């Protein structure tokens, strides 16, 4: 029996798109088709592969006016923000620029006796499982470097943004990437797991939940398939005694609330030096009270619905639980009359502590808990008191102090005086339950290829 993959729009609860998932047999045929075309694709000159990927990126840019409202219908981001093309292009272009250097052989010796070097060769077939929250940018993190490195790519996009996979496939094919080299597949969880267990792929790149990451690890057990897993997060911000408190509040609250809090590296908990706490809270509340929650297709809307009612239900439950344990909610619901269903008002909580799930478990919504701290040692202890480790944001005028604190944090990326940004020149990685591996940067190319050593003795 076939499985219907349904995208229910958070805008009005209607069925926006439905696609039939491939049967296991059809999915295996798609994998076989990909493997058959991989050697020819890898044999193409690197500049040619780069040019084809860049051409596909340009085509997506030409479609942006149509893509922006599509995204609003699928996952709720307001149209006023203009979509994802800026970051999408930045990441793909950077990876294209560094590819010749990152993929170049490492020369060890070229003498009259020996030629020794290490090549980076493609894994073969790469499965990219992309999420709905930034469906273009997260997909391109793996798709562009995987193709540039000579892999074939099979994309399984989140059902909530299922049209994005179609857009990407059409653009890459229109640019000249062969259909067997880049395929958009409609897959259910069972078929995906079986393909991984079948050793169908040399590498699997997944962005999503911890539960999803564990399922992929279990499916891959014993197959020796390479995995890149970016999973949950509970990213902290720390405002030190010498920080620019106004700028810190503006940036951290935006980092907590933008995209209705549905950002991989969104700020979910904030620790503020005791001397700045009251001023920070005052500024934070004024910022949030200026938001407008509503239909994302309205250009005046600054905060759209969450992608699905079950996501908003989780955040409501965490918030109610915190209040029942003594937390104080500072944002008046009367200011957000649209607060219903997938439409969730933003909230700031104080008098919170780490016994509350809202400070421990991933929220992925527009709520943030803020705690007062007395010094760096307390802030470090609290920031590290988490099962996750994706990013942490430090606010101070003292670079040496920030570096000292950063060295003690269990996280993948540390920001100073900024947050919620993915720099393609730096490895995007995490630790603890946030996952394993790393994308983008030169290290991203290393993860999407394997080293192959050549030890050639001359003269026979």
């Amino acid at each position: 029996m076939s499985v219907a993959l349904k995208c229910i729009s958070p805008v009005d609860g209607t069925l926006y798109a439905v696609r039939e998932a491939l049967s296991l047999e059809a999915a295996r045929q798609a994998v076989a088709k990909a493997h058959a075309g991989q050697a020819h694709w890898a044999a193409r000159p690197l500049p040619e592969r780069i040019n084809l990927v860049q051409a596909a990126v340009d085509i997506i840019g030409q479609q942006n006016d149509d893509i922006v409202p599509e995204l609003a219908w699928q996952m709720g981001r307001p149209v006023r923000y203009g979509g994802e093309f800026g970051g999408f292009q930045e990441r793909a272009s950077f990876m294209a620029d560094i590819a010749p250097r990152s993929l170049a052989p490492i020369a060890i010796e070229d003498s009259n006796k020996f030629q020794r070097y290490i090549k980076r060769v493609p894994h073969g077939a790469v499965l990219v499982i992309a999420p709905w929250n930034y469906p273009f940018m997260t997909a391109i993190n793996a798709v562009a470097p995987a193709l540039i490195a000579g892999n074939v790519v099979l994309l399984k996009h989140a059902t909530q943004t299922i049209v994005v996979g179609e857009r990407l496939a059409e653009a890459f094919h229109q640019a000249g990437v062969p259909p067997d080299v880049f395929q958009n597949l409609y897959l259910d969880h069972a078929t995906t797991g079986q393909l991984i267990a079948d050793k169908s792929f040399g590498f699997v790149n997944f962005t999503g939940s911890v539960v999803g990451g564990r399922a992929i690890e279990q499916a891959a057990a014993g197959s020796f398939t390479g995995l890149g897993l970016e999973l949950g997060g509970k990213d902290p911000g720390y405002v030190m005694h010498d920080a620019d408190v106004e700028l810190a509040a503006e940036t951290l609250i935006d980092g907590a609330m933008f995209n209705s809090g549905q950002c991989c590296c969104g700020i979910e908990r904030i620790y503020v030096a005791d001397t700045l706490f009251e001023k920070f809270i005052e500024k934070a509340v004024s910022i949030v009270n200026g938001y407008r929650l509503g239909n994302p297709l309205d250009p005046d809307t600054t905060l759209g619905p969450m992608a699905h009612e079950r996501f908003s239900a989780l955040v409501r439950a965490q918030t109610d639980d915190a209040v029942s344990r003594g937390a104080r909610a500072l944002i008046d619901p009367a200011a957000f009359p649209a607060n219903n269903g997938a439409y969730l008002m933003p909230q700031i909580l104080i008098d919170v502590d780490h016994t509350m799930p809202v400070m421990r478990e991933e929220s992925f919504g527009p709520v943030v808990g803020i705690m007062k701290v007395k010094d760096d040692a307390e802030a470090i202890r609290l920031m590290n008191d988490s099962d996750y480790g994706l990013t942490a944001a430090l606010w101070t005028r003292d670079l040496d102090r920030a570096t000292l604190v950063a060295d003690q944090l269990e996280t993948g990326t540390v920001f100073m005086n900024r947050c919620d940004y993915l720099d393609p020149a730096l490895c995007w990685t995490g630790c603890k339950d946030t996952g394993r591996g790393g994308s983008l940067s030169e290290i991203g190319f290393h993860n999407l290829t394997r080293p192959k050593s050549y030890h050639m003795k001359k003269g026979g």
Side-chain angles (χ1 to χ4, degrees):
M1 181 180 295
S2 63
V3 176
L5 305 175
K6 298 179 180 180
C7 169
I8 305 299
S9 175
V11 175
D12 58 6
T14 58
L15 179 63
Y16 182 77
V18 59
R19 303 290 186 268
E20 183 178 337
L22 293 177
S23 67
L24 179 57
E25 179 183 357
R28 283 172 169 161
Q29 290 173 356
V31 169
K33 178 182 174 183
H35 280 286
Q38 191 270 326
H40 178 72
W41 173 250
R44 291 196 182 194
L46 176 59
E48 184 178 322
R49 298 197 302 266
I50 290 172
N51 289 338
L52 290 171
V53 168
Q54 290 180 313
V57 170
D58 291 341
I59 290 169
I60 290 293
Q62 295 162 14
Q63 299 173 355
N64 198 55
D65 288 346
D66 295 325
I67 286 172
V68 169
E70 277 184 1
L71 288 176
W73 279 106
Q74 290 174 90
M75 51 73 64
R77 186 183 307 124
V79 296
R80 68 178 289 132
Y81 298 117
E84 303 175 24
F85 184 67
F88 179 86
Q89 183 182 47
E90 178 189 27
R91 298 174 189 187
S93 297
F94 183 84
M95 296 306 287
D97 289 344
I98 69 169
R101 179 183 78 246
S102 302
L103 297 171
I106 301 171
I108 307 299
E109 179 184 0
D110 190 4
S111 67
N112 59 352
K113 291 185 177 180
F114 291 98
Q115 189 176 70
R116 295 182 295 142
Y117 54 95
I118 304 166
K119 279 188 176 181
R120 301 223 61 96
V121 299
H123 288 298
V126 172
L127 174 65
V128 177
I129 307 176
W132 50 262
N133 63 322
Y134 283 93
F136 282 93
M137 289 198 293
T138 51
I140 205 64
N141 290 352
V143 169
L147 289 172
I148 288 171
N151 298 286
V152 292
V153 169
L154 299 101
L155 173 65
K156 176 200 178 304
H157 220 298
T159 300
Q160 194 64 43
T161 44
I162 204 160
V163 175
V164 173
E166 297 169 357
R167 282 274 186 189
L168 289 170
E170 290 168 2
F172 277 89
H173 298 161
Q174 183 180 335
V177 175
D180 55 348
V181 170
F182 183 88
Q183 296 183 62
N184 174 54
L185 304 183
Y186 306 114
L187 300 175
D188 60 24
H189 294 323
T191 300
T192 303
Q194 187 59 58
L195 291 177
I196 295 171
D198 286 347
K199 303 173 69 169
S200 301
F201 314 105
F203 192 84
V204 176
N205 181 275
F206 172 73
T207 304
S209 69
V210 175
V211 171
R214 288 196 180 108
I216 288 170
E217 279 200 327
Q218 290 166 2
S223 70
F224 306 113
T225 300
L227 300 178
L229 305 174
E230 185 204 323
L231 311 176
K234 194 73 183 172
D235 292 9
Y238 171 33
V239 183
M240 302 184 191
H241 294 84
D242 67 334
D244 182 331
V245 69
E246 294 272 330
L247 182 60
E250 289 172 3
T251 310
L252 288 171
I253 294 303
D254 179 69
M257 303 298 173
F258 186 77
N259 204 35
S260 297
Q262 300 168 129
C263 300
C264 297
C265 57
I267 296 295
E268 297 210 358
R269 50 199 174 106
I270 301 174
Y271 307 99
V272 182
D274 47 14
T275 56
L276 298 180
F277 187 79
E278 297 301 329
K279 187 175 181 181
F280 183 92
I281 293 298
E282 180 182 2
K283 179 66 175 180
V285 169
S286 70
I287 292 169
V288 172
N289 279 331
Y291 291 151
R292 177 174 173 178
L293 175 66
N295 190 317
L297 298 165
D298 182 344
D300 292 330
T301 293
T302 57
L303 202 67
M306 296 190 70
H308 198 283
E309 282 194 25
R310 70 178 183 274
F311 305 145
S312 60
L314 170 65
V315 181
R316 285 191 175 98
Q318 285 186 345
T319 303
D320 292 345
D321 172 81
V323 171
S324 74
R325 294 169 183 249
R328 279 197 291 149
L330 300 183
I331 307 302
D332 186 351
F336 294 91
N339 181 37
N340 187 43
Y343 290 83
L344 178 61
M345 63 169 284
Q347 189 56 269
I348 293 172
L349 299 172
I350 61 172
D351 297 336
V352 290
D353 60 49
H354 279 217
T355 67
M356 301 174 183
V358 76
M359 296 298 286
R360 304 278 311 170
E361 300 173 7
E362 186 172 38
S363 300
F364 218 61
V367 62
V368 64
I370 307 178
M371 293 177 64
K372 185 187 302 184
V373 294
K374 64 180 182 300
D375 57 24
D376 291 350
E378 183 181 16
I380 291 166
R381 177 180 63 80
L382 290 169
M383 284 190 282
N384 284 340
D385 184 28
S386 173
D387 292 333
Y388 304 103
L390 184 57
T391 78
L394 308 177
W395 289 82
T396 177
R397 304 173 197 271
D398 187 337
L399 175 60
D400 291 338
R401 181 183 178 188
T403 303
L404 183 63
V405 172
D407 287 343
Q408 300 174 71
L409 296 180
E410 298 162 355
T411 190
T413 295
V414 182
F415 296 106
M416 175 179 166
N417 298 331
R418 75 176 311 176
C419 65
D420 194 21
Y421 173 70
L422 196 159
D423 183 346
L426 299 176
C427 182
W428 191 241
T429 186
C431 61
K432 300 192 280 190
D433 282 1
T434 290
R436 59 185 293 184
S439 61
L440 298 175
S441 77
E442 184 169 329
I443 292 173
F445 273 119
H446 291 179
N447 286 331
L448 289 165
T449 57
R450 65 175 180 85
K452 184 176 181 180
S453 296
Y454 290 73
H455 192 134
M456 321 300 279
K457 184 177 182 180
K458 298 179 180 179

